[in-house]
Amino acid sequence: MDGRDWKKFLLPYEQTVEELKVKFKTLRGELKSREEYSPIEFVTGRVKRISSIFEKAKRLNVPMEKIETGIEDIAGIRIMCQFVEDIGRLAELIRAREDMTLVYEKDYITNKKPSGYRSYHMIVEYPVQTALGMKRVLAEIQLRTLAMNFWATIEHSLNYKYREELPAPVVNRLSKAAEAAYLLDQEMSSIRVEIMEAQQLFEDNSNIVNRVLNGIQELYFFHRVREAAQFQMRFNELWDTNDTWLLRELSDQISDAISRAKKNSL
């Protein structure tokens, strides 16, 4: 077995995972601000354990001295999407990035694995700045829907338990579950517009409520106690009605009151 310091060996991979997580979470926030919708639901990442690296190297006949190029998923990022259509959009965004180089892609959604596994894999080369200088690290980015991820997580746990030799009844039930997850994704895609509209309505309501409450607090800051109290009472009346139009109107009224308060304070 290779006698290298494996803890130090993994440092660039750990740094790569942390940096990529931050970048994709930032991308999610920016897309929501610019387009009011992001194909990214949430982002996770991990670095393979040394034992898992050894097992995979043995399975693929990768020599220890070639692990850095032979094992492409030591650094792994997983990005969850709501809809299958989001995966294609996100893949386009990743291809267009200049802070990483796409090595190749594997489409296990169009071409599922025999087990039923579906996911979209992108192998990228990421330049990470370490204490010893710049190092190019291979990382695997997996794009999945929530349903795909649920199934894959269960399959991974069962494969670990049975050491990749699943009993036939378990394989059969997993295959049926994979098809059920696929049908769920198809059904969600068929009502995608309705789901997105409902989510946007919720987001709009949440933003309006935040503006109203923050505005009331700002009026207190300008010592406009009477106005603030009146607006608070009006908000309490409207809260139970869930009337977005009236809440937006109240928000505009509060904004006007704040503008007047600022002018009077000059």
Side-chain angles (χ1 to χ4, degrees), residues 109-120:
I109 297 176
T110 304
N111 306 295
K112 67 174 182 177
K113 288 186 176 182
S115 64
Y117 176 88
R118 285 182 170 91
S119 185
Y120 198 91

Side-chain angles (χ1 to χ4, degrees), residues 15-263:
Q15 187 175 336
T16 294
V17 167
E18 292 306 311
E19 290 186 13
L20 289 179
K21 284 197 300 183
V22 169
K23 289 188 175 186
F24 285 118
K25 288 177 182 178
T26 301
L27 176 62
R28 179 181 187 274
E30 182 183 353
L31 288 172
K32 286 182 72 69
S33 296
R34 292 181 181 274
E35 304 176 9
E36 296 188 338
Y37 180 77
S38 169
I40 299 173
E41 185 68 11
F42 63 91
V43 181
T44 63
R46 64 97 187 97
V47 175
K48 264 190 183 301
R49 298 176 181 176
I50 296 299
S51 58
S52 297
I53 295 173
F54 287 167
E55 288 172 6
K56 189 163 188 176
K58 182 178 180 181
R59 187 170 71 252
L60 299 180
N61 294 317
V62 176
M64 285 291 133
E65 66 273 15
K66 294 185 178 180
I67 277 181
E68 292 180 68
T69 55
I71 307 296
E72 300 161 334
D73 64 342
I74 296 176
I77 296 292
R78 189 169 295 156
I79 305 177
M80 259 57 75
C81 305
Q82 288 194 85
F83 306 102
V84 176
E85 293 82 357
D86 293 340
I87 292 175
R89 166 70 174 137
L90 183 54
E92 288 179 5
L93 291 171
I94 293 173
R95 292 185 199 108
R97 295 188 70 98
E98 297 182 358
D99 55 347
M100 60 188 75
T101 303
L102 179 64
V103 179
Y104 68 90
E105 306 172 52
K106 294 183 284 187
D107 184 356
Y108 293 124
I109 297 176
T110 304
N111 306 295
K112 67 174 182 177
K113 288 186 176 182
S115 64
Y117 176 88
R118 285 182 170 91
S119 185
Y120 198 91
H121 295 188
M122 304 181 80
I123 306 299
V124 300
E125 186 181 71
Y126 180 74
V128 62
Q129 296 293 331
T130 73
L132 301 178
M134 192 273 285
K135 181 177 178 63
R136 298 188 180 277
V137 172
L138 289 177
E140 181 182 70
I141 303 173
Q142 296 180 351
L143 313 181
R144 298 174 176 174
T145 63
L146 298 171
M148 291 175 194
N149 188 62
F150 174 72
W151 183 91
T153 301
I154 299 301
E155 187 214 24
H156 179 77
S157 298
L158 288 172
N159 272 321
Y160 182 79
K161 176 182 178 181
Y162 291 105
R163 297 185 177 276
E164 305 288 340
E165 295 181 5
L166 297 176
V170 175
V171 171
N172 184 49
R173 296 177 74 174
L174 268 178
S175 179
K176 290 180 179 178
E179 287 310 302
Y182 175 73
L183 291 175
L184 175 60
D185 277 333
Q186 295 298 105
E187 191 66 28
M188 291 300 102
S189 290
S190 71
I191 55 173
R192 182 172 182 261
V193 173
E194 288 82 357
I195 293 172
M196 291 176 64
E197 286 177 350
Q199 291 174 340
Q200 190 57 53
L201 179 61
F202 175 82
E203 191 77 20
D204 289 345
N205 283 343
S206 178
N207 290 336
I208 292 170
V209 169
N210 285 338
R211 287 200 300 271
V212 167
L213 295 178
N214 290 335
I216 291 172
Q217 289 302 310
E218 195 167 355
L219 285 173
Y220 278 118
F221 174 80
F222 285 109
H223 305 292
R224 307 295 284 260
V225 177
R226 184 176 178 181
E227 275 186 292
Q230 289 175 338
F231 283 129
Q232 183 68 60
M233 290 177 61
R234 180 59 176 155
F235 171 75
N236 292 342
E237 293 171 0
L238 294 177
W239 175 245
D240 291 331
T241 68
N242 201 30
D243 191 318
T244 303
W245 189 86
L246 289 176
L247 283 171
R248 186 177 286 112
E249 186 179 67
L250 178 62
S251 176
D252 292 340
Q253 292 170 359
I254 292 172
S255 294
D256 291 340
I258 291 171
S259 295
R260 290 193 300 271
K262 287 180 178 178
K263 287 180 182 179

